[in-house]
Amino acid sequence: MIRAVPAIAAMAGYALAELDAPGAVSLAQNESAFAPSPKALQAGQKALADAALYPDPDWTALRAAIASVHQIPADQILCGAGSMELIGAIIRAFAGPSDTVLGTEFGYLFAATASQQAGASHLRAPEPSLVVSVDLLLAAVTPDTRIVFLCNPGNPSGTRILNADILRLRDGLRDDILLVVDQAYGEFDDQNPADVLGLVTRGNTVVLRTFSKAYALASARVGWGYFPPAVASETRKLLNPNNITGVSQAMAAAAMQDQPHMQGIVRQTAAIAAAFTGRLRASGYEVPDSHTNFVLIRFADGGAAKRADAALRSAGFMLRGMAGYGLPECLRATIGTEAAMDAVATVLEHLEGDTDAP
Ligand SMILES: *Cc1c(COP(=O)(O)O)cnc(C)c1O
């Protein structure tokens, strides 16, 4: 009998959203409702001609574009096949059996999966009212803690803490604990990115970003991180040497250079999210303030959330159930087009008595 190593045999695979309804509009994976930059599409077309060649293993043009926009050194950037690849590599490099990765109650589930892949334990600090608490995170640190994984703004909560609180978190952690700040939705946040990027120079903080959300390139699979040099060189060993296709590198570099396009996506997404949230709150739903391209909708209970999900599916919309996050009474709605969100709001307005209103 062929057996996997115990940590792998004991774990479940990472559960992506169910996308089983052909023809339905997916609002389940936080994909952009808007198209990528036309310059990215053009660059990708052009790069197709070199498909016979291996891609640049050093992501040279892509790193140069990121470095110039974010004003950070290119040699401290690593690129991954999605930031998920970077999350997995960081956790495997710095946490093993008998080590603990500390996340938050409603933090990104993939960090837990990646910890299991590494044979490490994954613990969660409580998030009262769906917002990360720096004090409760610090209180949950133990001598086994090797990594603290913070998603800010958070998924699936959509909420965020202030950069000043992230600095306070770093100040309160032991120097030998690696702090990973996953900013997959950072472009949707209005805080100055330099505050958190600046922590990297202390040597024990990594900041992760992705092209999958605000840059509308989820299928290209490109994420990046800003690393202290010593953390970068260890993490690099765990990445596939030719991890990002030439087409994807070309698309991401061009998308990074087209900041106005990305900013337009962020602006339009925020406007649609505000209108959608306003309608839902007006009919009594509890919707936390979101700093992302999705909102979390809270129903009276798990049954009400299931009924809403069923009604939305029959109307052709797939949201993301949140039972996996311990929030069975919630659905997460990616912000789609204005027409899609109007239709979703209309369905929800007609579900009587299922809101969380007192
Ligand atoms: C979407 C998302 C990512 C990005 O994943 P990619 O692999 O870059 O597509 C990372 N973290 C969080 C919290 C996310 O929601």
Side-chain angles (χ1 to χ4, degrees), residues 5-175:
V5 297
I8 303 306
M11 71 180 279
Y14 182 69
L16 288 169
E18 288 172 62
L19 298 170
D20 57 358
V25 175
S26 168
L27 302 173
Q29 299 208 99
N30 300 342
E31 294 147 319
S32 172
F34 302 96
S37 159
K39 292 174 183 154
L41 297 178
Q42 233 170 32
Q45 294 272 357
K46 187 154 167 274
L48 269 175
D50 292 325
L53 307 177
Y54 279 106
D56 177 359
D58 297 320
W59 326 285
T60 311
L62 173 56
R63 287 206 289 186
I66 297 167
S68 117
V69 166
H70 289 274
Q71 296 293 301
I72 55 177
D75 59 2
Q76 284 177 246
I77 296 168
L78 291 183
C79 300
S83 49
M84 290 173 103
E85 187 191 21
L86 295 171
I87 293 168
I90 293 166
I91 291 179
R92 273 179 286 140
F94 296 96
S98 82
D99 295 329
T100 296
V101 177
L102 176 61
T104 62
E105 187 174 1
F106 306 115
Y108 190 36
L109 272 180
F110 185 70
T113 300
S115 303
Q116 291 175 317
Q117 289 171 342
S121 308
H122 183 267
L123 287 183
R124 293 161 208 275
E127 272 188 67
S129 320
L130 296 162
V131 180
V132 168
S133 156
V134 167
D135 292 322
L136 294 177
L137 252 177
L138 290 172
V141 170
T142 68
D144 295 336
T145 306
R146 298 293 309 276
I147 298 176
V148 168
F149 192 94
L150 171 71
C151 185
N152 199 63
N155 174 14
S157 66
T159 63
R160 62 117 199 260
I161 61 172
L162 295 177
N163 287 345
D165 287 319
I166 300 179
L167 269 54
R168 190 163 70 80
L169 171 64
R170 179 65 268 177
D171 287 338
L173 291 173
R174 294 195 316 266
D175 287 344

Side-chain angles (χ1 to χ4, degrees), residues 185-357:
Y185 303 94
E187 292 82 4
F188 295 94
D189 192 3
D190 54 2
Q191 302 189 76
N192 181 2
D195 299 339
V196 176
L197 291 172
L199 281 176
V200 173
T201 54
R202 297 201 199 174
N204 47 19
T205 300
V206 172
V207 180
L208 299 178
R209 293 238 175 174
T210 182
F211 285 88
S212 297
K213 310 285 163 52
Y215 291 93
L217 286 175
S219 177
R221 310 304 305 125
V222 189
W224 61 275
Y226 176 36
F227 290 72
V231 178
S233 58
E234 299 299 343
T235 304
R236 182 69 179 97
K237 296 174 187 171
L238 288 161
L239 300 176
N240 184 324
N242 283 294
N243 60 347
I244 307 177
T245 70
V247 171
S248 291
Q249 291 190 43
M251 293 182 86
M256 180 59 62
Q257 281 159 341
D258 192 354
Q259 288 293 300
H261 184 86
M262 181 276 284
Q263 288 153 357
I265 289 180
V266 167
R267 232 181 358 257
Q268 293 177 81
T269 303
I272 297 169
F276 179 68
T277 302
R279 276 182 72 177
L280 263 50
R281 286 180 179 163
S283 13
Y285 289 99
E286 187 185 325
V287 182
D289 282 330
S290 173
H291 300 266
T292 65
N293 68 345
F294 61 84
V295 295
L296 191 70
I297 309 164
R298 196 189 273 258
F299 296 83
D301 53 36
K306 278 217 173 91
R307 287 192 294 279
D309 198 28
L312 288 162
R313 275 170 198 245
S314 25
F317 298 100
M318 312 266 304
L319 276 64
R320 181 81 174 255
M322 290 285 114
Y325 281 91
L327 295 167
E329 74 284 16
C330 295
L331 295 177
R332 191 189 66 192
T334 302
I335 300 304
T337 61
E338 197 170 0
M341 300 325 282
D342 279 345
V344 169
T346 301
V347 171
L348 293 176
E349 282 167 354
H350 289 90
L351 290 172
E352 294 277 322
D354 276 350
T355 69
D356 196 29

